[in-house]
Amino acid sequence: MTIGYLLEIPILLAVGLLVGLMVDRQEHFRRGLEIQAETLAQSHRELQEQTRLLLEKETQLRRADRLSALGQLSAGLAHEIRNPLGAIKGAVEILQDDYPPGHSKAEFYAILLKEVERLNDVLTNFLSFARPVTPRFAPADVRETLTALEGLISGQARAHRVQVFTSFHTGPSRVMADETLLKQAFLNIMLNGVEAMPEGGDLAVSTRLRPESTAGGRPEWVEVVFDDTGPGIPEEDQGRIFDPFFTTKKDGTGLGLAITHRIIENHHGAIRVMSQRGKGTTFVVALPLEGAIGL
Ligand SMILES: Nc1ncnc2c1ncn2[C@@H]1O[C@H](COP(=O)(O)OP(=O)(O)OP(=O)(O)O)[C@@H](O)[C@H]1O
Ligand SMILES: [Mg+2]
């Protein structure tokens, strides 16, 4: 055995050790990088979520801003318009006596009166929107509220040849609500459905417990689903339908869904829409059940 060969052994050992150490370091370094990448991805996800929330809040703020400006404006205007309208109506009624039914000019008085009534209605709508009532909350059963509405809308539905179907879940369905306001919110959605189907169609109203909440214990949310077979809402309009004054109807005020949105928000709920052109529209209203989230 030569001395050279003897020397080779420790050298080889040292090299082996060094390589081992380097591989170890490299592995350590790689893991560090992986952790950093995961942390970055997590931060990115959080940032995306925060941005989404921020944009949502901004939209809400813009809407609220427009609502409060509208409130101030219409409260003042309403007074100015209502009084002359009353005077016009009174004068027309007096003049009407000179033109009894059957007279060639009688129909003009009828038109005048009808239009004055219509202006009055629009004004009433604006006022109820501008001066929102403070909700008076009491326990209410969503199924009973919807059943009461079924009767209320049946005339309109028949006139449009729209069939209204209801199907309700079994289980808890009591919410803390101002029932009058909740009825108004639901009615606006149902009326829109009926109005969207002048040639007839189906409007299905159903209730369910929010699926994910039933898995781990007590359900917390009840959802009301309004499903119509109308023409759908174009995608570019879907973000605007809750804005005050957005309407695609000749006689619409564009306040129905804005009022509905506000009522649902006041009830700590949420409303969303899904729609496909030509296939129909679905509105989902989620409300916290009585006893949930501290209600
Ligand atoms: N179910 C639906 N199908 C198709 N379009 C809908 C439906 N619901 C709402 N829309 C659209 O949303 C718009 C806004 O609805 P909203 O109820 O706020 O006002 P409106 O019905 O036009 O007027 P108003 O309710 O004051 O009489 C409607 O003009 C319509 O274009
Ligand atoms: Mg409407």
Side-chain angles (χ1 to χ4, degrees):
M1 208 180 276
T2 61
I3 292 183
Y5 184 72
L6 276 176
L7 270 177
E8 259 176 43
I9 297 171
I11 289 173
L12 280 175
L13 276 174
V15 168
L17 210 66
L18 212 63
V19 170
L21 270 175
M22 275 170 72
V23 168
D24 235 30
R25 263 190 84 151
Q26 222 174 4
E27 179 60 17
H28 186 71
F29 189 60
R30 194 176 58 78
R31 248 182 285 137
L33 275 180
E34 269 173 11
I35 291 170
Q36 270 184 24
E38 179 47 38
T39 315
L40 262 175
Q42 176 66 20
S43 307
H44 182 239
R45 279 194 294 273
E46 277 167 16
L47 205 68
Q48 267 183 329
E49 178 59 13
Q50 294 294 337
T51 311
R52 193 187 62 74
L53 284 176
L54 212 66
L55 284 175
E56 210 170 83
K57 289 279 169 239
E58 195 213 347
T59 313
Q60 282 174 6
L61 268 178
R62 255 192 290 128
R63 194 172 286 141
D65 221 34
R66 231 186 296 176
L67 290 186
S68 71
L70 170 75
Q72 290 166 9
L73 205 83
S74 41
L77 259 183
H79 188 70
E80 296 299 319
I81 298 174
R82 223 180 214 154
N83 287 347
L85 267 185
I88 294 173
K89 193 172 174 218
V92 171
E93 276 165 354
I94 291 171
L95 288 173
Q96 206 177 13
D97 293 343
D98 296 340
Y99 300 93
H103 192 283
S104 62
K105 288 188 179 155
E107 68 171 303
F108 295 113
Y109 286 101
I111 292 173
L112 261 173
L113 279 178
K114 204 175 122 230
E115 291 304 310
V116 167
E117 281 304 323
R118 202 165 77 89
L119 283 175
N120 245 326
D121 283 352
V122 171
L123 217 57
T124 310
N125 242 341
F126 276 127
L127 276 181
S128 76
F129 186 61
R131 293 202 213 111
V133 285
T134 315
R136 287 169 193 230
F137 292 105
D141 189 315
V142 169
R143 288 183 296 234
E144 283 168 20
T145 310
L146 290 168
T147 306
L149 283 178
E150 224 184 321
L152 212 64
I153 200 158
S154 62
Q156 289 258 34
R158 243 195 324 275
H160 281 71
R161 284 184 291 135
V162 169
Q163 293 235 54
V164 182
F165 301 94
T166 49
S167 75
F168 301 145
H169 73 279
T170 45
S173 65
R174 265 154 66 101
V175 296
M176 284 305 282
D178 183 317
E179 213 186 352
T180 311
L181 291 179
L182 205 55
K183 268 187 190 155
Q184 192 186 351
F186 290 160
L187 191 64
N188 286 344
I189 299 175
M190 289 169 84
L191 276 176
N192 280 343
V194 170
E195 285 164 4
M197 299 184 282
E199 308 297 324
D202 296 341
L203 174 63
V205 182
S206 55
T207 62
R208 65 187 183 205
L209 294 172
R210 195 180 259 186
E212 69 267 18
S213 59
T214 44
R218 230 154 69 106
E220 296 196 321
W221 295 83
V222 59
E223 288 188 333
V224 186
V225 185
F226 302 89
D227 211 5
D228 70 50
T229 56
I233 304 172
E235 218 173 308
E236 62 270 25
D237 288 350
Q238 284 177 26
R240 302 159 69 199
I241 55 172
F242 297 107
D243 288 350
F245 304 119
F246 176 79
T247 182
T248 55
K249 299 174 192 167
K250 193 161 66 67
D251 293 325
T253 63
L255 288 176
L257 284 180
I259 292 175
T260 297
H261 190 275
R262 192 172 56 197
I263 293 174
I264 300 303
E265 261 191 352
N266 282 345
H267 282 73
H268 310 282
I271 179 167
R272 61 183 195 275
V273 63
M274 287 154 285
S275 187
Q276 261 190 310
R277 223 195 270 239
K279 294 218 170 123
T281 302
T282 305
F283 281 92
V284 181
V285 174
L287 293 166
L289 285 164
E290 186 191 10
I293 57 168
L295 293 174

